[in-house]
Every structure is written in structure tokens, then in C-alpha cells.
Amino acid sequence: LICRGLVSSASRPREDSWLKSLFVRKVDPRKDAHSNLLAKRETSSLYKLQIHNVKPECLDAYNKLCQEVLPKIHEEKHYPCALVGTWNTWYGEQDQAVHLWRYEGGYPALNEVMSKLRQNKEFTEFRKERGNMLLSRKNQLLLEFSFWNEPVPREGPNIYELRSYQLRPGTMIEWGNYWARAIRFRQDKNEAVGGFFSQIGQLYMVHHLWAYKDLQTREDIRNAAWHKPGWDELVYYTVPLIQEMESRIMIPLKISPLQ
């Protein structure tokens, strides 16, 4: 009996290992970075996503300060960057500001802008005053998926949804392959604004930006996708790639090119 127990105990790890092997995701070897395979080749734009958590009593003052200072600084011709959109989170984490910037020319453009801003006294004072209003802040550098629309200014009023996905490491190519087909199901009402994936900051992050007239329109458009043959299958295959996901409903500030 003792011998049988020893044999059984010794074989159990091998059995567990064999069972686990059935569920381990096999990642095909790649000979190029996913940034080169998924990003737009015709442009060299780099995007920066900034998320600021503002002290609740300071949100109005924060918005006023941003609307006064940001256009004056970033509309200067010698800064190779553009404000894509700026919002407050309406549903999701509260008292939050979200900014999306485009740097035309990639990392050299980003370095040029940051170097010039360090010499800009108005921006230095702006950052100091803004810092007193914040609880926390974070940013990510992003590239845009080749199969998504270029985010361009649009008239409002609209609400915006930023859907953020934390993918399992090694699955970005798989995600891109599925969404290159899935995006066709979500363009009927011109709701697709932009799709991005992270390069610096929290990695294996994907952000989809959508525009809707209101929350009911959002619900109607999303429900309509399920009646299109093939959408359910693409959702079925992409869900296992996700570790976490988050949805923010956002309201644009007056200075936002995306209204």
C-alpha cells in the first residue's frame, strides 16, 4: 500500500503537467516586432495618452486651466504635435481627465516637443499649478493599428467611449488579426474613431475609441452588431486573449477637436 501510494504520488505531478499542457497557449514564433506588423506604415505618428486623476474640488479649475493654456502652447507651428482630444470621464473613474496627443514624426518629434516645452516658462508654470490639483497621473506612448480609422476632428455633440484592454502577453498579433476583420462590423454609423496599442507604459494594452450621439445610441449600435453574421465568432475568439478590460464614457472639453 505504501509503495502504491508512492507510485501514485509520483505520477500525479506528471499527470498535472500533461493536463496543464493542454491549456497552455502556444505562441507562434515571430521574426518581427508586432509594432512593425500592426502599425500604419504610411505614417510615423506616435500618440500619447495621458490620464490625470484630479482632486474632486479642483476639477473645474483644472479644466479651465487646460482650456486656457494647452491651445496656446500646442498650436504653435514649431511644435510638431497636435491635440487629438481631451475629455472628462463621465462614467468610470470619477474626477478624471483624459488627453490624447499626436506627434507627427514619431520619437524624434516627441523629443523635440519635450525639449522645447522645458524652455517654455508658461508651460513650466502651467505644470506647477496643474500638479497641485492632481492626485495621480500616468501616460502611455501608443501606435495606431493599420486597420483603424485615423482619428480626425469631428463635430458634436457626442459622447466618447474609451475601451481599454489588457491583453495576455504574446497575443497582440492574434488580437490584430481578429480585429482587422471585426472593425468592418462597427463602422456603419461612423462610430469608430481610433484604435491604438501601447509601446511604453503599461504594455500589451489596447485602446479603442468610439463616438456616439448618446448612451442609447451606443446601446443600439452595439446590439445591432450581434445580428451581423460573423461578429459573434470574432468576439468568441478575442475574449480569451483579454486579462482585464475597462470602459470609460467621456465628455469632451470645449477645446477638444473631437466634439
Side-chain angles (χ1 to χ4, degrees), residues 68-80:
E68 289 176 352
V69 177
L70 293 183
K72 290 190 295 183
I73 292 177
H74 290 282
E75 286 179 1
E76 294 285 345
K77 293 182 179 179
H78 61 285
Y79 288 111

Side-chain angles (χ1 to χ4, degrees), residues 40 43-50 82 84 99-104 106 110 140-145 149-152 195-197 199-200:
K40 291 184 177 179
T43 64
S44 56
S45 294
L46 180 71
Y47 291 81
K48 179 167 69 176
L49 179 68
Q50 295 178 304
V84 177
H99 309 287
L100 183 63
W101 303 92
R102 179 193 295 115
Y103 296 87
E104 298 177 2
L110 173 67
Q140 291 179 331
L141 294 181
L142 314 170
L143 296 177
E144 56 184 332
F145 284 109
N149 298 338
E150 182 86 12
V152 295
F196 314 91
F197 59 98
Q199 288 291 282
I200 295 178

Side-chain angles (χ1 to χ4, degrees), residues 122-151:
E122 184 177 11
F123 183 75
T124 301
E125 290 300 315
F126 161 73
R127 287 197 63 181
K128 183 177 179 180
E129 187 175 355
R130 184 190 68 183
N132 294 328
M133 302 178 183
L134 299 181
L135 293 171
S136 65
R137 61 194 180 101
K138 67 177 181 179
N139 59 29
Q140 291 179 331
L141 294 181
L142 314 170
L143 296 177
E144 56 184 332
F145 284 109
S146 60
F147 47 85
W148 268 79
N149 298 338
E150 182 86 12

Side-chain angles (χ1 to χ4, degrees), residues 52-103:
H52 293 167
N53 290 313
V54 185
K55 296 176 182 177
E57 67 274 15
C58 296
L59 186 60
D60 289 341
Y62 172 94
N63 289 338
K64 182 179 179 181
L65 181 65
C66 288
Q67 292 180 135
E68 289 176 352
V69 177
L70 293 183
K72 290 190 295 183
I73 292 177
H74 290 282
E75 286 179 1
E76 294 285 345
K77 293 182 179 179
H78 61 285
Y79 288 111
C81 70
L83 179 64
V84 177
T86 178
W87 304 268
N88 285 153
T89 300
W90 183 24
Y91 287 103
E93 195 162 352
Q94 297 293 282
D95 305 305
Q96 189 176 78
V98 179
H99 309 287
L100 183 63
W101 303 92
R102 179 193 295 115
Y103 296 87

Side-chain angles (χ1 to χ4, degrees), residues 173-192:
I173 297 293
E174 197 172 353
W175 177 274
N177 287 338
Y178 285 126
W179 263 95
R181 289 180 284 159
I183 192 63
R184 296 177 297 174
F185 295 94
R186 296 296 312 278
Q187 293 179 319
D188 292 349
K189 304 297 183 181
N190 195 32
E191 70 268 24

